[in-house]
């Protein structure tokens, strides 16, 4: 496989500039809202994509698809701040937290007095993303949510969070990224309840936007998208979010009872509600591009670059990117609106197993909120744990219930999951994501079968 | 003998030394954190190196049960097993059998106990203890002694002392690695100066690499405690390290160092961290107290540790007794505090400003000048003039109670054999932590009880107050006589 040049410096920068101007920022687009920048770099097999996420306080850009490390009160469960840098950087700069964690003992006033989360945690280079739902401790309780706010089961009991409460939290904690308040419902609710959840989520998005500017909350707002297991509601919510002033999208309502099989359709409904095909041309002279339709695929011919926005058989054709001799164009149904603008990052909540992450990546998701995968200690692992300790020692710590076992395992598992995301990115860059996914899923299946036989 | 002990500086009886062990060159006075099961409360070995930990104590009894000394031996010894490049010390295992297991019985042969694995009677002889410790491979190993509570009197104390002397010869004979491991003998004899004297002389005759003062920190009164330490340190050889087992609180360490002791071990800093208590120059800071929720200062503004540099009391307050990270961070600070105390003792002695250091230490801990009498007595024997930090109690007491709110900020450590019973529930993962190290190597008994309801904290604490008559304010309820102890 040849490695694409996308993501490398452009050789024909003047052409890029010209293109960007004529496309209204279509090529190599970046979004600058607050201090977050995001740009999509490569696509593979349809919608899987890599990108670069940049945040003002973070020393280096972070490549996506990427994992947000889950935290408890801003720190990983067992990894103290001096051990955090032992995880691969910059991959481990992204941290996710639930503002609800701080109901246990800290007022928003005190957090504001300390100067926000980065200051309070002493992690100035790290990126904090605020999402109320935390899969372990703060679960949405849809029966108790009402038109005023969303309800959660937390270690402090059940709490109802109204947009104003939530924005107080955001204004005091000052996260880099925050998702708007959502009314998340499980897959089995009635279609009426599901519709209500979309209505409320959209309404709360407006309220969060208004309150956010009133309270000078700052940070990049990710518009919440819900809709349960109804494709039309998902589309509706996505389109509502897309037309608002948001920096990215937070896709909720997953991991709440929907089946693995129905998920791709739901994810696709959100990320693209139109038919989109991206075609990557390698080793072509971009003045004479050919797009083929073979075996049901597109065939398109353009003699000159000027037809970058041409119409062909009722399809809109857009030149997305040109680097050296590689050309990428986008073909989509005419009249369809881009429901989630391509250049904005998409963060999903509730996809935790590696197989689920791969579903998300295939649908064009960029950021994932947590991981549930425990990887056995293997040979050749380069993580802090495996470099410093033997399997025998870790087994001993587990046997005697020592906390260090949890610390070492969290480091190892996080290291591995970050590595998994790195291989996903490599596969996308090399244009072989589908193959990678197939191989990975098959390998996992064999592994799990082997474990089952042993047990 | 596999150690070198070079005294670098003295102030009267106090000394600062360089203790060269097979795996590390240590500075004394030396605090040794307790790593019962081959680890210290969630801290990695690199973190322990970061905070200046020089030597860790491992408990033979626990390690012999799991993962077993044979496995540790197969894997190249405890240093390799836990990846700790610096020094290690193991205790004999006897104390923990006696204190943890109700059915332990001591005979001339050894300690008979019921196996916690299969309930069968087992025998730990001095030979067996040394053999196990030889397999574990620590830099310092401890002789098996006949442990009795210091509060016991009568012929049992005498019997135990003589038995300890008989057993030391069996330990010496059984010791197979004298060139790699240092066998320390333990001075017993309860609170009886005559018995202590016989024991010290008997052990000194054996010319061991180092000596420990055992049988203390078991609830005896503080005056008896320091007098035993003073007697033993005076009689032990100048050129050998002296280790006071199971001690102790910061104040105890300062006093014992003034009296000429060199080494200490105690689970207190890490255990108390689990219940949300930080060690500070003023005494202790209870971070679970509600007032901490709005306190944006570091735990100890004068502390240079990672936790104090990064975190506010308010943030730690939100973690303690709820999240594992709370005890991780507090253990880090508390150990740093103890190790910094060791360093301060070492350098103040070397730099000839030990009395100033002691006065400064006492002034911070007893700002009203109410230094306990036993400390004053011990310092007199140590030849340290602490009169500048002692004051008339009547006037300062008045001032003190008018400053009521200061109480919960920094409560003074009770130095009177405080007995606390704690029981902890970790909420974060529904994990109930099994606390095998209920007892430290030499007798500290601490039991605390704490119940957290999910809807708010219902706190009940039973603490026995010191004879100083400390008054505790705030939400804590206390039983005036400590009769509600478990
Ligand atoms: Zn590893
Ligand atoms: Zn500190």
């Amino acid at each position: 496989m040849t490695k694409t040049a996308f993501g490398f410096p452009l050789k024909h920068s003047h052409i890029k500039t010209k293109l960007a101007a004529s496309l209204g920022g279509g090529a190599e687009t970046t979004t600058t809202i607050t201090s977050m920048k995001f740009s999509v770099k490569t696509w593979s097999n349809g919608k899987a994509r890599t990108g670069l996420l940049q945040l003002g306080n973070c020393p280096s850009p972070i490549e996506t698809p990427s994992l947000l490390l889950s935290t408890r009160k801003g720190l990983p469960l067992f990894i103290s701040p001096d051990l955090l840098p032992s995880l691969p950087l910059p991959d481990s700069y992204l941290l996710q937290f639930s503002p609800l964690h701080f109901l246990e003992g800290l007022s928003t006033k005190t957090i504001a007095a300390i100067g926000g989360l980065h200051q309070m945690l002493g992690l100035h280079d790290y990126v904090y993303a605020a999402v109320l739902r935390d899969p372990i401790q703060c679960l949405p309780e849809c029966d108790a949510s009402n038109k005023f706010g969303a309800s959660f089961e937390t270690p402090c009991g059940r709490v109802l969070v109204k947009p104003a409460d939530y924005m107080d939290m955001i204004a005091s904690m000052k996260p880099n990224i925050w998702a708007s308040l959502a009314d998340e419902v499980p897959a089995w609710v009635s279609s009426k309840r599901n519709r209500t959840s979309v209505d409320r989520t959209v309404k709360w998005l407006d309220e969060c936007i208004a309150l956010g500017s009133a309270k000078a909350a700052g940070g990049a707002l990710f518009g919440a998208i819900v809709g349960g297991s109804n494709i039309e509601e998902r589309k509706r919510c996505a389109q509502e979010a897309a037309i608002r002033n948001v920096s990215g999208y937070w896709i909720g309502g997953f991991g709440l009872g929907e089946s693995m099989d129905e998920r791709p359709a739901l994810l696709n409904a959100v990320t693209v509600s139109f038919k989109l095909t991206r075609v990557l041309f390698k080793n072509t002279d971009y003045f004479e591009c050919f797009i083929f339709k073979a075996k049901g695929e597109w065939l398109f011919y353009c003699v000159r670059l000027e037809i970058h926005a041409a119409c062909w058989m009722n399809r809109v054709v857009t030149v997305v990117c040109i680097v050296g001799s590689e050309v990428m164009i986008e073909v989509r149904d005419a009249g369809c609106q881009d429901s989630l603008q391509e250049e904005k990052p998409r963060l999903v909540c509730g996809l935790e197993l590696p197989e689920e992450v791969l579903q998300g990546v295939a649908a064009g998701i960029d950021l994932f909120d947590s991981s549930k995968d425990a990887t056995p200690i293997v040979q050749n692992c380069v993580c802090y744990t495996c470099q410093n300790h033997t399997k025998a020692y870790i087994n001993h710590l587990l046997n005697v219930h020592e906390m260090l076992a949890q610390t070492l395992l969290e480091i190892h598992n996080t290291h591995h999951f970050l590595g998994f995301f790195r291989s996903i990115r490599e596969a996308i860059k090399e244009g072989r994501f589908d193959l990678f996914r197939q191989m990975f899923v098959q390998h996992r299946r064999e592994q799990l079968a082997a474990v089952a036989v042993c047990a | 003998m596999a150690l070198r002990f070079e005294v670098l500086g003295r102030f009267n009886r106090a000394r600062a030394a360089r203790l060269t062990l097979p795996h590390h060159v240590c500075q004394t006075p030396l605090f040794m954190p307790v790593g019962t099961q081959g680890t210290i409360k969630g801290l990695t070995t690199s973190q322990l190196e970061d905070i200046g930990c020089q030597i860790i104590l491992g408990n033979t009894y626990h390690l012999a049960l799991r993962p077993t000394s044979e496995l540790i031996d197969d894997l190249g010894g405890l240093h390799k097993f836990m990846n700790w490049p610096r020094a290690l010390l193991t205790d004999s295992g006897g104390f923990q059998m006696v204190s943890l297991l109700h059915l332990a019985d001591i005979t001339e042969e050894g300690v008979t106990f019921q196996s916690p694995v299969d309930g069968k009677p087992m025998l730990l002889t001095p030979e067996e203890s040394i053999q196990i410790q030889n397999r574990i491979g620590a830099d310092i190993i401890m002789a098996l002694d006949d442990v009795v509570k210091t509060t016991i009197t009568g012929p049992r104390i005498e019997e135990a002392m003589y038995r300890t002397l008989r057993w030391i010869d069996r330990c010496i004979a059984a010791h197979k690695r004298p060139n790699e491991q240092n066998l320390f003998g333990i001075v017993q004899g309860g609170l009886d100066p005559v018995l202590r004297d016989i024991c010290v002389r008997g052990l000194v005759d054996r010319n061991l690499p180092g000596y420990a003062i055992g049988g203390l920190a078991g609830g005896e009164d503080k005056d008896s405690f320091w007098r035993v330490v003073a007697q033993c340190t005076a009689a032990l050889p100048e050129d050998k390290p002296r280790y006071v087992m199971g001690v102790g609180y910061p104040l105890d360490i300062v006093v014992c160092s003034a009296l000429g002791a060199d080494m200490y071990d105690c689970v207190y800093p890490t255990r108390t961290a689990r219940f949300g208590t930080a060690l500070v120059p003023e005494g202790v800071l209870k971070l679970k107290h509600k007032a901490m929720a709005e306190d944006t200062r570091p735990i100890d503004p004068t502390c240079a540790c990672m936790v104090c540099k990064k975190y506010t009391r308010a943030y730690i307050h939100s973690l303690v007794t709820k999240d594992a990270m709370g005890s991780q961070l507090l253990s880090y600070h508390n150990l740093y505090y103890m190790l910094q105390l060791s360093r301060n003792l070492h350098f103040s002695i070397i730099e000839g400003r030990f009395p100033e250091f002691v006065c400064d230490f006492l002034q911070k801990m007893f700002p009203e000048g109410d230094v306990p009498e036993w400390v004053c007595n011990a310092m007199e024997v140590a030849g340290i003039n602490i009169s500048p930090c002692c004051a008339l109690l009547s006037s300062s007491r008045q001032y003190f109670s008018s400053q009521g709110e200061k109480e919960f900020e920094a409560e003074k450590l009770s130095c009177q054999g405080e007995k606390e019973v704690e029981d902890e529930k970790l909420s974060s993962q529904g994990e109930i932590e099994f606390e095998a190290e209920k007892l430290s190597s030499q007798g500290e008994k601490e039991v605390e009880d704490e119940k957290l309801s999910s809807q708010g904290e219902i706190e009940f604490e039973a603490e026995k107050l010191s004879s100083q008559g400390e008054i505790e304010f705030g939400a804590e309820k206390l039983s005036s006589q400590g009769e509600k102890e478990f």
Side-chain angles (χ1 to χ4, degrees):
Chain A
M1 275 262 177
T2 50
K3 206 166 180 173
T4 172
F6 286 113
F8 288 39
L10 286 171
K11 283 178 201 156
H12 304 277
S13 53
H14 61 285
I15 292 178
K16 185 206 162 199
T17 314
K18 190 182 154 201
L19 256 175
S22 60
L23 289 171
E28 286 270 326
T29 47
T30 55
T31 310
T32 314
I33 298 172
T34 69
S35 62
M36 189 192 80
K37 277 186 184 178
F38 181 71
S39 51
V40 176
K41 295 293 180 190
T42 352
W43 280 264
S44 173
N45 303 106
K47 290 156 71 180
R49 64 195 207 174
T50 65
L52 269 189
L53 185 67
Q54 284 170 280
L55 286 121
N57 63 314
C58 191
S60 52
I62 297 152
E63 285 190 78
T64 62
S66 187
L67 172 71
L68 301 168
L69 273 51
S70 50
T71 70
R72 173 103 187 106
K73 294 170 186 164
L75 286 176
L77 224 48
F78 297 99
I79 307 175
S80 58
D82 53 326
L83 292 174
L84 258 184
S86 69
L87 292 172
L89 288 170
D91 309 40
S92 60
Y93 273 132
L94 298 173
L95 305 174
Q96 174 166 307
F97 74 102
S98 167
L100 297 175
H101 292 166
F102 297 102
L103 293 177
E104 242 182 4
L106 274 179
S107 66
T108 53
K109 210 181 111 202
T110 306
I111 298 173
I114 293 168
L117 219 56
H118 291 90
Q119 191 66 31
M120 185 164 77
L121 276 310
L123 296 174
H124 304 281
D125 293 345
Y126 284 73
V127 175
Y128 275 107
V131 174
L132 281 171
R133 171 179 162 195
D134 149 14
I136 302 162
Q137 289 202 308
C138 305
L139 289 167
E141 183 51 62
C142 79
D143 293 336
S145 296
N146 57 37
K147 61 179 177 179
F148 302 111
S151 181
F152 294 87
E153 282 298 345
T154 78
C156 296
R158 184 175 291 181
V159 288
L160 185 77
V161 185
K162 297 171 192 164
D165 306 328
Y166 181 52
M167 291 316 296
D168 278 342
M169 297 175 191
I170 297 302
S172 70
M173 294 170 195
K174 301 185 176 63
N176 301 86
I177 292 167
W178 54 280
S180 64
L181 187 64
D183 181 24
E184 283 191 272
V185 294
W188 57 77
V189 296
S190 69
S191 55
K192 190 182 165 215
R193 178 67 186 87
N194 194 29
R195 202 158 50 241
T196 308
S197 114
V198 172
D199 292 342
R200 283 179 190 162
T201 302
V202 173
K203 181 173 156 261
W204 292 343
L205 174 56
D206 284 333
E207 289 179 42
C208 284
I209 292 170
L211 287 160
S213 51
K215 292 176 196 287
L221 163 61
F222 278 35
I225 294 165
V226 293
S229 32
N230 183 309
I231 288 175
E232 289 313 310
E233 288 301 324
R234 285 266 171 203
K235 273 188 196 170
R236 179 164 76 93
C237 200
Q239 279 160 359
E240 290 288 348
I243 58 170
R244 284 164 170 81
N245 184 21
V246 294
S247 309
Y249 304 96
W250 177 77
I251 303 161
F254 284 108
L256 295 173
E258 80 281 3
S259 76
M260 193 85 174
D261 294 339
E262 63 183 322
R263 196 180 290 129
L266 294 169
L267 283 166
N268 283 321
V270 173
T271 50
V272 185
S273 61
F274 45 81
K275 288 199 189 77
L276 171 86
T277 306
R278 284 182 184 281
V279 187
L280 176 64
F281 286 86
K282 292 172 192 285
N283 308 317
T284 55
D285 177 355
Y286 51 77
F287 289 101
E288 284 182 274
C289 294
F290 293 90
I291 301 172
F292 304 96
K293 186 179 185 182
K295 291 182 193 170
E297 293 285 340
W298 293 106
L299 173 69
F300 188 70
Y301 167 77
C302 69
V303 182
R304 301 194 54 192
L305 256 186
E306 275 68 24
I307 42 171
H308 56 256
C311 238
W312 179 69
M313 286 181 67
N314 213 25
R315 312 288 181 196
V316 177
V317 180
T318 313
V319 176
V320 174
C321 201
I322 299 171
V323 178
S325 60
E326 297 181 10
V327 176
M328 179 180 283
I329 67 150
E330 188 182 295
V331 187
R332 68 181 182 217
D333 285 356
C336 274
Q337 278 233 315
D338 194 343
S339 72
L340 290 192
Q341 292 160 45
E342 291 296 330
E343 71 277 15
K344 292 182 181 175
R346 303 150 178 174
L347 161 59
V348 78
C349 178
L351 306 187
E352 295 176 337
L353 296 171
E355 290 84 354
E356 296 178 308
V357 168
L358 291 169
Q359 283 188 327
V361 171
I365 303 293
D366 308 297
L367 299 163
F368 294 81
D369 77 333
S370 64
S371 67
K372 243 184 204 158
D373 193 36
T375 325
I377 300 287
V378 285
Q379 279 170 352
N380 313 323
C381 179
V382 295
C383 84
Y384 172 88
T385 300
C386 297
Q387 288 296 298
N388 287 287
H389 296 289
T390 57
K391 208 171 162 176
Y393 181 61
I394 294 161
N395 276 341
H396 162 69
L397 295 176
L398 284 170
N399 285 338
V400 297
H401 309 278
E402 278 286 353
M403 201 199 291
L404 186 59
Q406 308 303 326
T407 306
L408 296 178
L409 286 177
E410 192 178 7
I411 291 174
H412 170 79
N413 288 333
T414 309
H415 191 100
H416 258 261
F417 221 54
L418 291 171
F420 170 60
F421 277 88
R422 183 172 299 169
S423 7
I424 290 175
R425 292 194 297 267
E426 273 163 22
I428 296 173
K429 285 182 204 167
E430 290 166 14
R432 53 174 181 86
F433 173 71
D434 273 353
L435 186 66
F436 170 82
R437 184 182 172 190
Q438 272 170 25
M439 303 277 281
F440 183 89
V441 171
Q442 192 188 333
H443 183 66
R444 279 262 298 184
R445 213 171 280 151
E446 284 163 8
Q447 261 188 336
L448 292 173
V451 170
V453 167
C454 290
Chain B
M1 207 163 295
L3 65 76
R4 211 164 64 230
F5 186 75
E6 302 151 89
V7 175
L8 306 176
R10 282 177 201 281
F11 188 90
N12 292 341
R13 302 172 57 143
R15 65 247 198 102
R18 183 191 296 130
L19 171 62
T20 308
L21 294 169
H23 288 86
H24 195 66
V25 181
C26 307
Q27 293 171 338
T28 73
L30 178 61
F31 178 74
M32 307 186 283
V34 180
T36 301
Q37 319 246 33
T39 166
I40 296 176
K41 297 299 150 211
L43 300 181
T44 63
T45 46
S46 52
Q47 285 179 304
L48 291 165
E49 282 189 76
D50 287 348
I51 59 175
C53 178
Q54 308 181 68
I55 177 167
I56 295 172
L57 189 147
N59 288 121
T60 293
Y61 170 78
H62 288 106
L63 293 170
L65 273 181
R66 286 181 300 188
T68 74
S69 61
E70 288 81 3
L71 183 78
I72 293 176
D73 194 17
D74 286 349
L75 297 172
L78 186 57
H79 286 92
K80 236 180 143 182
F81 182 63
M82 63 185 283
N83 190 29
W84 174 244
R86 298 186 180 176
L88 284 168
L89 179 151
T90 47
D91 63 2
S92 66
F95 175 78
Q96 275 167 348
M97 285 178 187
V98 174
S99 53
L100 285 178
L101 307 170
H102 298 294
L103 296 167
D105 182 37
I106 303 172
T107 60
E108 191 56 30
E109 186 58 14
V111 184
T112 308
F113 63 102
Q114 208 180 14
S115 160
V117 179
D118 54 14
K120 285 180 187 154
M122 312 248 308
L123 179 69
L124 180 78
T125 60
E127 292 79 8
E128 177 86 13
S129 169
I130 298 301
Q131 205 184 357
I132 295 170
Q133 293 188 74
N134 279 164
R135 282 196 288 260
I136 294 173
D139 299 73
I140 297 172
I141 61 176
M142 302 305 296
L144 185 70
D145 55 347
D146 184 355
V147 188
V148 282
K149 281 184 182 150
T150 44
T151 45
I152 287 177
T153 51
R156 177 70 185 97
I157 296 283
E158 190 171 347
E159 181 195 39
M161 188 277 287
Y162 282 113
R163 184 170 284 151
T164 298
L165 277 182
R166 288 192 296 275
W167 282 2
I168 188 70
D169 292 322
R170 290 169 59 186
C171 288
I172 294 167
H175 187 16
K176 293 283 183 292
R177 302 175 64 186
N179 296 322
E180 300 141 283
Q181 294 182 284
N182 299 286
L183 173 64
F184 279 32
I186 304 170
V187 181
Q188 289 292 351
L191 304 178
D192 186 333
V194 177
L195 297 181
R196 285 277 177 183
D197 189 52
I198 297 168
C199 198
V200 168
R201 279 190 287 144
L203 288 175
V204 172
D205 284 346
R206 268 84 172 175
N207 190 28
L208 293 160
Y211 300 93
I213 303 165
L216 294 174
E220 73 283 349
D221 68 278
K222 282 291 177 183
D223 227 47
S224 308
F225 160 74
W226 78 259
R227 283 180 204 282
V228 169
V229 173
Q231 186 202 346
C232 295
T233 52
L236 287 167
E238 276 296 308
D239 58 347
K240 300 282 174 67
R242 305 156 182 170
Y243 161 30
V244 189
M245 299 177 83
V247 167
Y249 299 124
L251 180 61
D252 297 349
I253 289 177
V254 171
V255 171
C256 291
S257 297
L259 293 169
D262 309 299
M263 300 162 69
Y264 312 93
D265 79 280
C266 193
V267 294
Y268 176 68
T270 43
R271 173 170 303 149
T272 206
R274 286 179 43 235
F275 305 110
T277 303
L279 303 181
V280 291
E282 292 77 20
V284 296
L285 187 70
K286 298 210 167 177
L287 283 141
K288 62 186 173 185
H289 200 285
K290 286 184 184 68
M292 295 296 145
E294 288 169 27
D295 199 327
T296 56
R297 288 172 294 175
I299 294 171
D300 172 10
T302 64
C303 178
C305 88
M306 175 271 290
V307 179
C308 291
K309 278 192 282 189
K310 274 187 187 293
Y311 298 112
T312 57
R313 294 174 182 186
Y315 181 66
I316 305 288
H317 167 83
S318 78
L319 297 176
V320 291
T321 69
K322 297 186 193 82
D323 298 299
M325 188 55 69
S327 77
Q328 259 177 282
L329 294 179
L330 272 187
S331 290
Y332 188 103
H333 163 83
N334 283 355
L335 287 177
Y336 184 91
Y337 178 86
M338 297 306 290
L339 297 166
Q340 188 58 37
L341 178 66
S342 305
R343 285 188 284 266
N344 288 339
L345 287 166
H346 179 83
F347 287 107
S348 67
I349 295 168
I350 285 183
E351 291 159 17
R353 47 179 181 81
F354 183 59
E356 290 83 353
F357 173 77
V358 172
C359 275
D360 188 50
F361 175 87
L362 292 174
Q363 230 149 30
K364 280 180 191 140
M365 193 162 281
F366 306 100
E368 288 76 33
D370 51 341
V371 177
E373 206 182 322
W374 71 271
V375 177
C376 300
N377 296 339
M379 287 303 174
E380 206 177 312
V381 168
I384 311 239
N385 177 21
I386 57 162
S387 58
C389 44
C390 293
L392 282 176
L393 294 188
S394 54
S395 58
S396 60
R397 270 285 161 213
Q398 238 171 0
Y399 165 78
F400 194 55
S401 42
S402 67
Q403 296 277 311
E405 65 163 35
K406 235 192 138 180
E407 270 294 305
F408 52 68
E409 266 186 31
E411 286 165 36
K412 258 170 288 168
L413 193 50
S414 145
C415 303
Q416 287 285 338
E418 179 179 52
K419 285 188 187 178
E420 280 174 34
V421 184
E422 290 193 12
D423 184 358
E424 193 196 28
K425 242 179 191 173
L426 265 187
S427 60
S428 63
Q429 296 271 320
E431 176 191 317
I432 295 165
E433 205 178 291
F434 167 71
E435 241 327 281
E437 49 138 50
K438 265 266 153 67
L439 297 158
S440 75
S441 65
Q442 275 289 323
E444 184 195 16
K445 282 188 192 178
E446 204 181 279
V447 197
E448 285 181 26
D449 188 331
E450 183 180 301
K451 244 182 193 169
L452 292 176
S453 83
S454 61
Q455 287 288 328
E457 214 173 279
I458 297 165
E459 212 176 87
F460 175 75
E461 256 195 38
E463 276 180 23
K464 202 171 185 180
L465 296 176
S466 74
S467 58
Q468 310 283 317
E470 276 175 19
I471 302 156
E472 228 176 51
F473 293 93
E476 281 143 45
K477 202 175 175 182
L478 33 116
S479 65
S480 56
Q481 300 290 316
E483 73 271 70
K484 278 203 172 172
E485 270 181 31
F486 303 96

